[in-house]
Structure formats: C-alpha cells, structure tokens
Amino acid sequence: MAQVLVVTSGKGGVGKTTSTAALGAALAHDGTKVVVIDFDVGLRNLDLVMGAERRVVFDLVNVINGVAKLPQALIRDKRLESLHLLPASQTRDKDALTEDGVAKVIDELREKFDWIICDSPAGIERGATLAMRYADTAIIVTNPEVSSVRDSDRIIGLLDSKTVKAERGERIDKHLLITRYSSSRAARGEMLSIDDVLEILSTPLLGIIPESQEVLRASNVGSPVTLSNPLSAPARAYFDAARRLKGEQVSMNVPSETRGIFNRLFARKAA
Amino acid sequence: MSLFNFFRRASAPIARERLQILLAHERNAGSHPDLLGMLREEILAVIGRHVAIDPDKVQIKLDRGKSVSTLEIDIEIPNREQMAGAAARFNPLALDAGRAC
C-alpha cells in the first residue's frame, strides 16, 4: 500500500527540499516507485535541487486545474527510473491549490507509487497545511537551534489537529529528522544536543544528518546527495533514515566523514 | 580560540532552558491560539453594554505562573461618562435580573 509522507518544518532553510530529494532517491534506489511533490507554489525549488529544472513542462497546479493530465506533469529522474518528480508552479496564485484538487492528485498517485513524498513550503499557510493534509507519516526537519525547534513544536501541533488522519481520530506517524548536526559542537555545549531536541519535542528520531559540505555540493550540481556522493556522511545518514522508514531496525549513530590525521587531531583537541 | 572558549559559558543549556519555558507556555495557549484576544472581545462586549468605554483604553494581561495564573483587566472609564455609566450600571442590571426571572 502506498505511503504518503510529508517533509515539513515550519521554519525555512532547515533542509526540507534537500531531505525530500535525498530520501526520495534513497527510497527509490532498489526500484521502489517514488514520487516527490513540490508544494511550494510560487517558489518551487525541488526541480532545481533534483537537476530537472529544464524539463518542467506542466506542474501540480496544471493538473489540479485540468490543464494537464497527471502523467504529462510527472518528470522521470534521469539517474533512477523509479524516481519521479511532480513540480510546483511558479505563478504566485495563493488559491491555486485546492483541498479537493490535492486529494484527487494524491489518490491518483497512490495507485501508481509506493511512496509519495510531499515537500512542504515553510510557514503555516495554505501550501504547508495542504502538503500535510493527506499524509500518513510526517518527517519534521529540525536544526539544533532555538527558532527551528520552536517552529517544529508548532508544526507538530498542526499535524495532530489539521490532518485528515488527526480529524478521523487516528494518530499521524511523526518522525524527527535532525539536520546540520555537529557532534563536536554539541559536545562542547555550543549546540543543542540530540537528547535536548528529543526531550523538548518528544517525537521519535528518524535520523541525524551531519553538517557537511557535500549537501551544498549536491545542490550545486542538481543531484540528491544520496546519488551525487552515496558514501559521504550525510548520504549514509539519509540511507539509514530511508531504511528506518521502510521498517528496518538500524542503529542510530552520526555518520562522520572519513577522518584524516588533521581531523583526528582537531577532534581530540576539541573534545 | 580554545582559551577564549574556556572562559565562556556553554550556550546550549541556555537554549534548552529558554525553549522549555517558552514551549510550555505556547502549548498551554495551543487549545485557544488567541485566548487573550477572545477574552478581550467578550469582556468588552459585556461591559460595553452597560458603560461607555474606549476600546483603546483597555488592557488585558494574562500571567501564567507555575501554580496560579492571574488575569489582569484594566479598563479606563472616561470621567464625563461617569454619571451615565453609573446610571447604566444600575438600570440594565435590574433589567437583566428581571429578564432572568
């Protein structure tokens, strides 16, 4: 049965789109059928991060308005043939997304795909509430930083009240994905630790993505980090998170870059 | 840099404490996202029925404490309205009581 995921956060710039692309590619790696949907109408970016920006013809709003059929708007990834993208439109029409329209698109996608990943826009407006509306599972992307944690708490409240599942009295599955984490800074007391964030938000942990240059490099070249450098620390962390989503038991650790002698010396000094 | 850091207090515990206090308050307000706004409107409507008041001269403050929370309502009633206000305060109440019976 298809799983509908929403990748959300409240705060912008914490890594929703990066995580959507990386998890989408990680899940699709074994041929599982995955579609990633950009809900950020007016400010689409998932197409750019996935390297498909020049292949967008139709988008989510076109499908909702009946201008295009769903298969016409879906873009197949050039590297992984089981990975697809449904882009957002670039027009700034706030009312372009309707609840019924989104419901229809998700229902149609449920028949074709195993995983439907909705990349939420920042904020708590229409785009964000519609992205989470039909989700079975939510991934809350959080940076170990006060404003991000506060906004995540707010989003968790919305997930528990404004989703179809919540309104039916069912529990929506929620997982925390902590991004841009630095073990050494947390050890020095400069950054909230994983335990701090988990205690404050009391939501189970899906994964810890370490701060890494590879993430920016991946978006520069238009590739999910799990495809551009699958052995890098953030990519391994995303692969682990994807396996946990599939129900596997994977021990939780923070992958680190392979350390040279300089790094090892530095880490020892810092600790 | 390490010497400088040595004298500086770790900031993560401060972040943690601030968040815990803030979120405890925000979650309380969660059931009524605009509790104060609602209280303000309803209280003004009730008092406005009996006394002429300036909506800008009303202050409502809610202090949430660990064991007790206090609701502070400060309404300024213009002097020239005092007579009419006093009269209104008696008559409508009598009327209300009459209606209740």
Side-chain angles (χ1 to χ4, degrees), chain A:
Chain A
M1 215 186 99
Q3 275 280 324
V4 180
L5 276 177
V6 60
V7 178
T8 184
S9 71
K11 190 177 181 298
V14 296
K16 285 182 295 297
T17 302
T18 302
S19 298
T20 302
L23 285 174
L27 285 168
H29 218 260
D30 59 1
T32 309
K33 284 187 243 160
V34 178
V35 61
V36 289
I37 316 178
D38 193 343
F39 272 82
D40 206 343
V41 172
L43 287 169
R44 72 170 173 223
N45 273 318
L46 187 56
D47 55 333
L48 192 55
V49 169
M50 305 261 303
E53 70 275 14
R54 289 165 62 173
R55 298 168 62 210
V56 176
V57 183
F58 295 113
D59 55 59
L60 175 62
V61 172
N62 292 146
V63 177
I64 288 176
N65 292 342
V67 174
K69 292 247 179 333
L70 184 57
Q72 292 177 289
L74 287 173
I75 302 169
R76 174 185 286 194
D77 189 86
K78 283 197 164 160
R79 297 145 297 207
L80 282 178
E81 67 169 38
S82 61
L83 179 61
H84 289 73
L85 162 71
L86 182 54
S89 69
Q90 265 305 53
T91 57
R92 268 205 69 187
D93 188 358
K94 267 208 303 193
D95 303 318
L97 293 182
T98 61
E99 207 174 304
D100 290 347
V102 172
K104 258 186 216 165
V105 171
I106 301 249
D107 278 345
E108 207 177 329
L109 289 170
R110 271 182 191 273
E111 285 167 23
K112 299 179 178 174
F113 293 94
D114 302 308
W115 294 90
I116 298 155
I117 310 181
C118 307
D119 182 19
S120 171
I124 50 174
E125 302 296 319
R126 192 188 187 86
T129 50
L130 277 178
M132 68 169 69
R133 182 90 188 126
Y134 302 97
D136 304 306
T137 303
I139 296 174
I140 303 124
V141 182
T142 307
N143 289 168
E145 176 271 328
V146 287
S147 50
S148 175
V149 174
R150 179 200 207 171
D151 290 1
S152 293
D153 191 73
R154 189 77 194 281
I155 283 291
I156 289 169
L158 290 180
L159 286 165
D160 286 333
S161 59
K162 304 278 186 205
T163 52
V164 169
K165 261 201 153 179
E167 284 173 7
R168 280 196 204 130
E170 296 166 34
R171 277 191 75 85
I172 178 161
D173 228 357
K174 298 183 295 284
H175 303 276
L176 215 58
L177 185 67
I178 299 180
T179 55
R180 308 200 65 169
Y181 187 70
S182 160
S183 313
S184 56
R185 299 194 72 191
R188 272 178 271 152
E190 295 172 6
M191 181 185 265
L192 286 168
S193 70
I194 298 295
D195 287 342
D196 288 340
V197 179
L198 291 183
E199 192 192 324
I200 292 167
L201 294 177
S202 44
T203 300
L205 185 62
L206 178 71
I208 306 160
I209 314 299
E211 170 86 72
S212 163
Q213 301 170 355
E214 283 304 315
V215 174
L216 179 60
R217 211 191 87 83
S219 80
N220 283 345
V221 300
S223 167
V225 70
T226 39
L227 292 183
S228 68
N229 190 351
L231 294 178
S232 65
R236 281 184 283 141
Y238 278 120
F239 273 114
D240 282 354
R243 285 169 61 198
R244 289 183 197 110
L245 277 175
K246 289 183 173 178
E248 284 180 46
Q249 295 287 323
V250 184
S251 66
M252 189 70 69
N253 53 5
V254 192
S256 55
E257 310 282 355
T258 30
R259 280 185 178 170
I261 185 143
F262 175 79
N263 276 333
R264 227 180 296 168
L265 280 174
F266 182 76
R268 196 163 297 166
K269 213 173 175 185

Side-chain angles (χ1 to χ4, degrees), chain A residues 188 190 266 269-270, chain B residues 1-10:
Chain A
R188 272 178 271 152
E190 295 172 6
F266 182 76
K269 213 173 175 185
Chain B
M1 195 183 92
S2 52
L3 194 69
F4 181 62
N5 276 339
F6 184 77
F7 291 107
R8 219 162 44 158
R9 211 183 131 195

Side-chain angles (χ1 to χ4, degrees), chain B residues 49-51 84-99:
Chain B
R49 244 184 273 156
H50 310 297
V51 189
R89 216 175 294 144
F90 280 103
N91 291 335
L93 276 179
L95 273 177
D96 277 351
R99 232 177 276 153

